[in-house]
Amino acid sequence: MAWAVSIRIPRHTDPEVVNYKTYLGGIFQSTIPQPATGDPQYTYTMATDGDYVLTSTALDAAGNESPPSPALNIHLDHIAPSATGLMVFVSSVWS
């Protein structure tokens, strides 16, 4: 089972920003262009359950890269917990 996690990167207010880079666990994933309107979006694909750290950076036209965004920590787990014991209480009311 693979996971697809879509994120929205808050649009940078600096008019010099032209692209964003996305990172998964510090490893480069993709470059996303600054959209004309709205916030840039990216979908990460994670192959397994586990803990993931997502970050992004902003780039200007000269290729200067900002420091990373604050980390977005995600825990993915598709395994349901084991069943718990079931207690049944039956009462009767006689009149």
Side-chain angles (χ1 to χ4, degrees):
M1 169 181 231
W3 294 94
V5 176
S6 294
I7 62 157
R8 180 183 53 82
I9 302 167
R11 184 181 178 83
H12 204 290
T13 57
D14 185 339
E16 300 296 317
V17 171
V18 295
N19 291 313
Y20 298 87
K21 286 186 175 180
T22 60
Y23 295 87
L24 175 61
I27 299 170
F28 172 74
Q29 299 294 301
S30 182
T31 299
I32 304 166
Q34 173 83 298
T37 61
D39 295 326
Q41 296 184 34
Y42 182 72
T43 299
Y44 291 89
T45 301
M46 289 88 155
T48 60
D49 290 350
D51 295 311
Y52 295 91
V53 178
L54 313 177
T55 56
S56 66
T57 59
L59 292 127
D60 65 15
N64 299 309
E65 191 168 1
S66 73
S69 65
L72 174 61
N73 297 296
I74 296 179
H75 176 76
L76 301 174
D77 178 6
H78 81 279
I79 299 172
S82 60
T84 61
L86 181 60
M87 300 178 97
V88 177
F89 295 95
V90 177
S91 64
S92 297
V93 176
W94 299 91
S95 50

